[in-house]
Amino acid sequence: MFFLNNKLKAVLIASTFVVTGCASPAMDAENENAARNRGAVGGALVGVTLGALTGDARLAAKGAAVGGVTGGVAGSMKDLEDSRNSKDTQVLADGHSQDNRSDAEKRLAELEAEIKIRELEQQLADLEEQNKQDNEDS
């Protein structure tokens, strides 16, 4: 009877961790500590499950605590790595978005754009004139 009572306690502890851990909004991908939170919950679940398998509620609680800390630390390292990668990516994106051309290159690009606009305007005028003549001939 004593063994069954401890096993029941361990199962209740495990189910509590599962329900509270999976329903938390702290697991969202937008959360900057999401990997830490998922790691802590996952580690706690592993620890409490192993403790529950032995049938000892105290061992399940200890396993949940140790697993939660271990998973949280591992998840924090993942969060830190993701944060660094995000910052590096932003620095690269900012560097690429800057206009590093000289003033002469910028002016040349402006002149080329003006020439292209005038060519397109001329083509449009020619097409309108041709369309006008086609309508008169019809």
Side-chain angles (χ1 to χ4, degrees):
M1 179 69 178
F2 180 72
F3 179 72
L4 184 62
N5 193 18
N6 281 342
K7 201 167 203 169
L8 181 62
K9 287 179 186 176
V11 169
L12 287 175
I13 290 171
S15 63
T16 301
F17 275 111
V18 169
V19 170
T20 57
C22 296
S24 174
M27 302 298 155
D28 293 339
E30 290 84 28
N31 186 342
E32 64 184 22
N33 296 318
R36 179 197 67 196
N37 298 342
R38 284 191 303 269
V41 170
L45 288 173
V46 168
V48 79
T49 302
L50 292 176
L53 290 175
T54 65
D56 187 0
R58 285 177 287 153
L59 187 58
K62 290 177 184 176
V66 170
V69 169
T70 304
V73 169
S76 291
M77 298 304 289
K78 173 77 168 109
D79 287 331
L80 181 62
E81 181 184 343
D82 290 347
S83 175
R84 288 181 178 162
N85 287 339
S86 176
K87 287 178 184 174
D88 290 346
T89 302
Q90 186 60 44
V91 167
L92 285 173
D94 290 345
H96 286 296
S97 67
Q98 293 177 353
D99 191 359
N100 296 322
R101 298 178 299 171
S102 68
D103 290 337
E105 291 172 324
K106 290 177 188 176
R107 181 65 185 142
L108 177 64
E110 289 174 6
L111 290 173
E112 288 174 344
E114 285 180 30
I115 291 169
K116 185 68 175 172
I117 289 172
R118 288 186 183 169
E119 288 174 355
L120 291 172
E121 287 174 345
Q122 183 61 44
Q123 287 177 359
L124 182 62
D126 292 344
L127 286 173
E128 287 176 353
E129 182 65 32
Q130 184 180 6
N131 192 17
K132 191 180 207 182
Q133 287 177 359
D134 289 343
N135 287 338
E136 289 176 359
D137 292 340
S138 303

